[in-house]
Amino acid sequence: MEPLRIGILGAARIAGTAIAAPARETGHRLVAVAARDRGRAEAFAAEHGVERVAAGYAELLADDEIDVVYNPLPNGLHGPWNLAAVRAGKHVLSEKPFAANAEEAGEVAAAAEAAGVRVMEAFHYLYHPVLLRLHELLASGELGELRAAEAELLIPAPADGDPRWSFELAGGALMDVGCYGLHALRGLAPWAGGEPVLESATGTARRPGVDQAVDARLAFPGGATGIVRCDMAAAEVRFRLRLTGTRGEATAVNFVRPDTDDRVLVGDRVEHLGRRPSYSYQLEAFAAHVRDGAPLRNDLADAVATMTLIDECYRAAGFPVRPRSRVEPVPGG
């Protein structure tokens, strides 16, 4: 397969783990990186083997040698720069969620379809054997009929100045970590009679409009219940997904970062599914999608549906839907 030629928007810390390391492992090129602080871009390039530093985001998007853009910018900048990349004819791997709200997500999806480029929302966990094993346990009937699903997503509090606490940049616990739980529960639809619907949601504010914690209760058409609990100021890191069926129970101890804990507990049995990073599996899937048209496990319609559910949770919990960013993509941005 011809290597992807990747440009990176921003020198965010996650980019080293989510794109630079997987690209080196899987043989794809890191052509360029751009950041608002050129010094940070230069340091990132030196550390991760990126071929060159672009003068700005717009220059990177105009680079004919780049065919794929990775977007790890703050949440509120996903939508605008994903649209800018699509309009520049680039394929996009965007950190989740790939827009600030459902309306903007729909615009990104429509633009990608019109332009004939591939855009993938980076729910990397979906491609790891840990998550696939949970689905296999449901499909095989070993767990019986699904009766309950519970996702817990907890992390210690980021610093006060972190953009994840910014309403204007579409921050909040649900956007940062809770979205994994909502997405994972939506993915159970084939074994639960269809997509879950929101029954109720409650939340705790960190600052006006910005959620520190959200609990959401969902219901599946087949009668199963769903719970998503997220907290962005917890005492520990926890990314647990538990499925309960009529014949048994299975738990992924860390379904979001199985590279740190690859255990799946099936009743009294402990299975290890491998600690190869989920980001590597994701990049392989995206490359096959871009180069060969291989189908993804999460498409554009999936991204819009998840964002719609996030918006519904915010409204139900008494929070405003995340706003579009006031920062517009401009030359040299």
Side-chain angles (χ1 to χ4, degrees):
M1 182 185 298
E2 181 184 356
L4 300 179
R5 301 173 300 170
I6 302 168
I8 304 172
L9 293 177
R13 185 170 54 252
I14 186 62
T17 301
I19 196 68
R24 288 195 303 271
E25 179 194 338
T26 54
H28 298 287
R29 287 177 59 194
L30 298 172
V31 175
V33 61
R36 294 186 180 277
D37 180 340
R38 185 179 179 88
R40 287 190 64 204
E42 290 172 345
F44 184 94
E47 179 180 357
H48 297 289
V50 182
E51 295 172 19
R52 60 177 179 269
V53 173
Y57 301 159
E59 180 179 291
L60 186 145
L61 296 186
D63 191 330
D64 291 336
E65 197 172 1
I66 291 171
D67 52 17
V68 168
V69 169
Y70 170 67
N71 183 353
L73 297 169
N75 291 336
L77 301 181
H78 290 170
W81 284 105
N82 288 343
L83 283 169
V86 165
R87 289 165 182 161
K90 310 298 187 187
H91 305 293
V92 181
L93 177 60
S94 173
E95 277 306 323
K96 50 73 197 164
F98 80 173
N101 54 54
E103 181 181 33
E104 188 176 51
E107 290 182 17
V108 174
E113 290 172 347
V117 298
R118 315 286 191 176
V119 177
M120 179 182 183
E121 187 175 30
F123 277 117
H124 52 95
Y125 81 95
L126 192 60
Y127 294 86
H128 196 278
V130 161
L131 193 280
L132 298 179
R133 179 59 176 146
L134 291 183
H135 288 180
E136 184 180 68
L137 289 166
L138 287 170
S140 70
E142 182 171 346
L143 299 183
E145 182 181 349
L146 182 67
R147 303 313 305 153
E150 181 178 355
E152 290 182 287
L153 303 112
L154 315 176
I155 61 171
D160 286 343
D162 193 288
R164 287 173 287 180
W165 293 125
S166 168
F167 179 70
E168 292 74 18
L169 289 174
L174 196 59
M175 293 288 284
D176 189 58
V177 291
C179 60
Y180 283 112
L182 294 177
H183 190 260
L185 264 60
R186 285 192 53 250
L188 302 176
W191 305 282
E195 291 264 347
V197 296
L198 181 67
E199 287 194 327
S200 64
T202 58
T204 302
R206 174 79 170 202
R207 57 186 60 165
V210 180
D211 50 308
Q212 173 179 302
V214 170
D215 286 5
R217 294 185 175 273
L218 301 98
F220 291 92
T225 59
I227 296 175
V228 174
R229 296 190 175 100
C230 63
D231 191 333
M232 206 161 66
E236 61 179 332
V237 174
R238 183 184 300 169
F239 295 122
R240 181 180 298 163
L241 178 59
R242 178 184 292 115
L243 306 180
T244 302
T246 53
R247 295 179 181 171
E249 182 177 284
T251 300
V253 177
N254 191 332
F255 78 101
V256 174
R257 289 297 303 271
D259 55 311
T260 66
D261 193 336
D262 66 339
R263 289 176 296 161
V264 173
L265 313 179
V266 187
D268 295 329
R269 187 171 77 246
V270 180
E271 299 182 2
H272 291 274
L273 279 298
R275 291 197 175 189
R276 185 185 186 223
S278 49
Y279 299 105
S280 297
Y281 288 104
Q282 173 180 255
L283 187 56
E284 286 178 335
F286 185 56
H289 181 58
V290 169
R291 294 294 186 234
D292 299 333
L296 294 172
R297 293 175 61 82
N298 56 320
D299 57 14
L300 291 169
D302 177 77
V304 175
T306 299
M307 199 68 244
T308 299
L309 185 55
I310 291 171
D311 287 357
E312 290 175 358
C313 286
Y314 273 131
R315 293 188 184 101
F319 289 94
V321 170
R322 309 298 89 170
R324 289 173 178 267
S325 172
R326 296 180 181 179
V327 177
E328 294 293 332
V330 295

